[in-house]
C-alpha cells in the first residue's frame, strides 16, 4: 500500500500506479449514497477498477477527518485516533 496526494481523477491516479482497486470507508448509512454515486461514476470512467468499502469498528464510527482537524487545531490530543506520522503532519500543517 502506498499513500499519495493527488489533484486528478481517482481513476487516472489508479491507472498511473497500475492499481485496480479504490479503497473507501463507510462510517454510517448516510455515507453510502455519496460513495455509491462515486463508485458508479468511477466504474463508468474505468470499468476495470473496483471500489471496495470498509466499515470501522463501532468505537470509531463517530470519528471524521473534520473532527480530527478541529481537535488538533484547538490543541487537543488526537493520538488515539491517528497514526503518529499523521499526527505530526497535521500538527505541522495546522501550526499546532
Amino acid at each position: 500500500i502506498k499513500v499519495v496526494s493527488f489533484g486528478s481523477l481517482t481513476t487516472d491516479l489508479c491507472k498511473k500506479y497500475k492499481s485496480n482497486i479504490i479503497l473507501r470507508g463507510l462510517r454510517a448509512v448516510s455515507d453510502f449514497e455519496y460513495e455509491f454515486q462515486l463508485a458508479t461514476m468511477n466504474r463508468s470512467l474505468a470499468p476495470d477498477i473496483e471500489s471496495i468499502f470498509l466499515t470501522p469498528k463501532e468505537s470509531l464510527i463517530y470519528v471524521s477527518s473534520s473532527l480530527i482537524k478541529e481537535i488538533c487545531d484547538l490543541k487537543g490530543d488526537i493520538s488515539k485516533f491517528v497514526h503518529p506520522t499523521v499526527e505530526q503532519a497535521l500538527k505541522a500543517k495546522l501550526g499546532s
Side-chain angles (χ1 to χ4, degrees):
I1 295 175
K2 184 174 186 175
V3 178
V4 297
S5 62
F6 61 101
S8 64
L9 291 171
T10 305
T11 52
D12 289 343
L13 183 74
C14 287
K15 290 173 187 176
K16 176 181 175 182
Y17 285 94
K18 297 180 174 72
S19 173
N20 63 344
I21 296 172
I22 299 171
L23 190 59
R24 303 284 295 182
L26 295 174
R27 288 174 297 151
V29 174
S30 58
D31 292 341
F32 180 77
E33 186 175 344
Y34 172 75
E35 292 295 341
F36 183 77
Q37 286 179 318
L38 195 56
T40 303
M41 182 57 72
N42 287 334
R43 181 174 284 154
S44 295
L45 295 170
D48 57 321
I49 298 174
E50 289 292 329
S51 294
I52 297 174
F53 301 98
L54 300 176
T55 57
K57 294 186 336 183
E58 290 175 9
S59 63
L60 298 174
I61 285 176
Y62 65 92
V63 176
S64 70
S65 60
S66 299
L67 285 173
I68 298 301
K69 286 184 258 183
E70 184 174 354
I71 292 167
C72 186
D73 193 37
L74 296 171
K75 313 293 189 255
D77 180 15
I78 60 170
S79 63
K80 62 183 170 186
F81 304 114
V82 297
H83 188 276
T85 305
V86 173
E87 181 179 11
Q88 285 180 316
L90 194 53
K91 285 180 176 181
K93 182 176 181 177
L94 297 175
S96 297

